[in-house]
Amino acid sequence: MSACLSERAIDHVVLERGQVANSWRTERWDSLTLLTPNWQSRLPGYGYQGDDPDGYRTMPETIDFIDSYARVIAAPVRTETTVTSVRPANPGYVVVTDQGEWRCQTVVLASGACNIPRVPALAEAVPSHIATLTPDRYRNPDQLEDGGVLMVGASATGTQLADEIHRSGRPVTLSVGEHIRAPRVYRGKDIEWWMDAAGVHDERYDEIEDIKRARKVPSLQLAGTPGRTTLDLNALTDIGVKLIGRLAGINDGKAQFSGSLRNQCALSDLKMGRLLDTFDEWATDNGLDGEVEAPHRLPPTWVEDAPPLGMNMTDGAIRTIVWATGFRPDFSWLDVPVLDRKDQVRHDGGVVTESPGLYLMGMQFLRRRKSALIDGAGPDARDLGAHLASYLDGVAAPASR
Amino acid sequence: MADTERKVENGVNVAALLDAREALTDAADAAQFTWRASCTWKNGTHSHSTVEGYFGLGEEHKHKTTFTFDADHPAVFASEDLGAAPVEYVLVGLASCLTAGIAAIAQHREIQLRSVTATIEGGMNIQGILGIDSDVRNGFDGIKVSYEIDADASKDDIEALVAQSQKRSAVYDIVTNPTNVTVEVI
């Protein structure tokens, strides 16, 4: 957004609570790589220039990428500046920070979709001798005690951590609810290539059938490994991870798991089949069948006949629970009445229509399916930057301190 | 109960149940039952279910008559209301199971029942089934059963009856504990 505003000569500042790429520096585990290939991180006027376009960035590389971009576009970043309040000032807004106050005509909320781990309420019933951890505080398996781990959640984070922790010699039980299965490579091409090329990532928020639902779809079960391997539930079963249903409750030291595991896996297999069908149709329609490998399907997700429904939490078998149950944004500092009953900003494709001059970025499916990806920031910033510019044209003064 | 002369009669053949427990202790195969129902869609949300046969004690059995159940949804769901809602059948199942248990245990404990009435209600936020809020579960957010029991027993004994009935109830277990469910299309 800063690049798009500079392009339009709109005076602005970028407030950062820590250093540029702060959450990548402070809230990610050591071995994490981006789930999107290098070529896919396209920012306005900037992109990948190395010799491994199909690889996946490590965290240091990701931090460096964002850091370099901030320098290339000369983004006016104020680091170590924490926003404590944003409130309407009529006209414009007052932004209070620990480094002083700002008055401005417009505010872009780009503080991210993943600020606070979404830990289920039943976490309160976990016996006190079991350590609990959220992914933003996880760094590597050495942090955990020896012994069994219950990984709650089987989307991208849960599956990657289950893999790493199980391989460290700590037996993992993976509690599986709704999840989206996807092969890393399909017909010889990265799944992200297909999503991009077939236009799936560019589907717009105002053209999709059920946007509320689309915004809640869990992350694809992907990992960015050098071998471009698929990390689905079958791959985890192969290394000995035990699959169990969705965690339903903890009573008297006993965890209860839903009997819906089979259906959750069947739903995911069917959904993946439909996605691959879409790619196959697109490949045929575009005459690509001769250029990419032949279509294929993955074997169904294997589920044992009668998955366990209960687990003793007091016998010492489970030493750690990791809540890979997602994140939510933190708008506790936003003193503008635009939050719904779930404390999320009401918006129309990132335009906070109830409070003119206020914009939102980086949320799941904000304007297009890829809005929450690095690759989605550019197109969203161009759209919202244009809206913001025409809004400023309609009001008087530019930003001033 | 000090009066051993008094004949307690709740209509439950406790002797037969105790005999069955004895006989089935070492016959795990015979103890394996399969309960069945079949359900046919009629129209809209209306369906017609029948309960006829079941398997147990090593062989097929038939109920004396075929029992039938119409299920539908009420008018506020824009349905025809041609039967109780499926969730109401769950309440019926739980209340009737607990009540049967109370009678059987009372008989065994030689408590004469005069009347037993259960009122059962399940709370539900339909934002779950309507897909409005994924944090709201589809099912009941809680079930409350209230018993009014008139019996020749102290309040404590009656409460013990109700507690034991929950401990031994199949439907109570089904509702309170997860069950693996397999649904296939043939």
Side-chain angles (χ1 to χ4, degrees), chain A residues 86-99:
Chain A
V86 170
R87 61 172 194 268
N90 276 333
Y93 297 89
V94 176
V95 177
V96 183
T97 80
D98 58 358
Q99 305 293 325

Side-chain angles (χ1 to χ4, degrees), chain A residues 262, chain B residues 181-185:
Chain A
R262 187 175 303 281
Chain B
V181 178
T182 306
V183 180
E184 58 182 4
V185 179

Side-chain angles (χ1 to χ4, degrees), chain A residues 94-353:
Chain A
V94 176
V95 177
V96 183
T97 80
D98 58 358
Q99 305 293 325
E101 278 188 21
W102 294 80
R103 289 290 299 264
C104 48
Q105 290 294 345
T106 66
V107 174
V108 180
L109 308 171
S111 47
C114 300
N115 305 127
I116 302 173
R118 199 190 285 273
V119 175
L122 56 83
E124 286 174 21
V126 173
S128 56
H129 69 275
I130 294 178
T132 61
L133 193 65
T134 49
D136 55 324
R137 291 193 296 122
Y138 171 83
R139 291 294 169 274
N140 56 62
D142 293 341
Q143 224 177 323
L144 312 181
E145 277 186 66
D146 285 343
V149 174
L150 175 62
M151 181 69 60
V152 184
S155 290
T157 298
T159 49
Q160 289 177 91
L161 297 189
D163 183 58
E164 173 168 285
I165 292 170
H166 189 83
R167 288 177 192 276
S168 79
R170 295 164 180 85
V172 170
T173 302
L174 180 62
S175 168
V176 179
E178 189 183 347
H179 61 277
I180 312 285
R181 185 185 183 196
R184 178 75 265 184
V185 176
Y186 179 61
R187 300 179 68 178
K189 296 278 193 185
D190 196 291
I191 187 91
E192 292 289 343
W193 180 87
W194 288 100
M195 302 268 280
D196 185 62
V200 176
H201 268 325
D202 292 318
E203 285 171 356
R204 286 178 54 97
Y205 79 105
D206 50 3
E207 286 168 4
I208 191 134
E209 203 176 315
D210 186 349
I211 184 62
K212 277 188 179 168
R213 194 170 169 279
R215 283 180 173 148
K216 283 189 229 154
V217 170
S219 57
L220 265 62
Q221 289 175 329
L222 289 177
T225 61
R228 302 170 90 199
T229 46
T230 293
L231 183 59
D232 57 10
L233 297 179
N234 283 350
L236 291 169
T237 297
D238 285 346
I239 63 165
V241 170
K242 191 163 176 55
L243 306 184
I244 202 163
R246 184 176 187 274
L247 180 59
I250 300 175
N251 285 311
D252 297 330
K254 190 168 185 274
Q256 293 184 319
F257 300 91
S258 168
S260 66
L261 178 60
R262 187 175 303 281
N263 189 44
Q264 297 285 11
C265 294
L267 280 170
S268 192
D269 286 351
L270 289 167
K271 195 170 288 185
M272 178 179 63
R274 289 195 298 269
L275 181 67
L276 301 184
D277 286 346
T278 306
F279 297 160
D280 291 342
E281 279 168 34
W282 174 84
T284 302
D285 291 349
N286 289 273
L288 285 173
D289 280 331
E291 291 178 35
V292 293
E293 293 170 15
H296 61 91
R297 289 293 175 268
L298 282 71
T301 301
W302 182 83
V303 178
E304 66 180 295
D305 285 342
L309 302 165
M311 184 188 278
N312 190 336
M313 293 270 119
T314 59
D315 64 2
I318 296 293
R319 307 303 296 265
T320 307
I321 296 177
V322 182
W323 303 109
T325 38
F327 289 86
R328 60 186 174 86
D330 177 11
F331 290 115
S332 57
W333 43 272
L334 184 63
D335 300 317
V336 186
V338 294
L339 299 181
D340 64 17
R341 61 195 182 82
K342 297 249 160 174
D343 287 334
Q344 301 305 302
V345 175
R346 285 186 295 266
H347 67 94
D348 178 11
V351 180
V352 184
T353 45

Side-chain angles (χ1 to χ4, degrees), chain B residues 1 6 8 110-114 150-154 157-158:
Chain B
M1 278 161 289
R6 198 177 67 199
V8 170
E110 299 189 335
I111 296 173
Q112 179 63 53
L113 299 174
R114 279 187 293 273
D150 182 12
D152 286 336
S154 69
D157 285 344
I158 290 172

